[in-house]
Amino acid sequence: QVQLVESGGGLVQPGGSLRLSCAASGSILSTHVMGWYRQAPGKQRESVAAIIRGGSTNYAESVKGRFTISSDNAKNTVYLQMNNLKPEDTAVYSCMIVTMNDQLVWGQGTQVTVSS
């Protein structure tokens, strides 16, 4: 079973940048979807960005133009570059993949806090 470990979260000032990493224990080539979700206290988890097998990407409207999802297959890692961060971006960010047999695998999450 593939496992995911996120890193790169932390405290950043508004307007700052962070790059989140999601390292997979297995190959990320055999996936249907690779993506990032976030969940703020008292709110439901929401999709932030995703790569769908075949090359398609999608972003939440709130992060378009600021966040970029990418992957490095040789390193079995998915990244989320976050620029111009806003306080409303504060949340626990989790990596998720959908395997070839349609199983959802989640990382443990990494905290991102945007505050002055």
Side-chain angles (χ1 to χ4, degrees), residues 7-80:
S7 62
L11 175 64
V12 64
Q13 66 181 14
S17 298
L18 286 173
R19 189 183 75 160
L20 305 183
S21 298
C22 173
S25 61
S27 175
I28 60 175
L29 293 175
S30 58
T31 60
H32 288 303
V33 180
M34 302 179 293
W36 289 92
Y37 286 71
R38 67 186 182 187
Q39 186 169 26
K43 298 183 179 180
Q44 66 180 28
R45 185 159 50 194
E46 64 176 343
S47 176
V48 176
I51 301 174
I52 302 172
R53 188 179 182 187
S56 298
T57 61
N58 68 270
Y59 296 91
E61 186 67 29
S62 60
V63 307
K64 285 183 178 178
R66 300 188 298 120
F67 291 11
T68 303
I69 187 171
S70 63
S71 64
D72 186 335
N73 293 338
K75 296 181 179 180
N76 292 323
T77 301
V78 181
Y79 303 97
L80 184 67

Side-chain angles (χ1 to χ4, degrees), residues 38 40 43 46 62 66 85-91 93 114:
R38 67 186 182 187
K43 298 183 179 180
E46 64 176 343
S62 60
R66 300 188 298 120
L85 284 160
K86 304 176 180 180
E88 53 262 43
D89 295 320
T90 296
Y93 285 71
V114 185

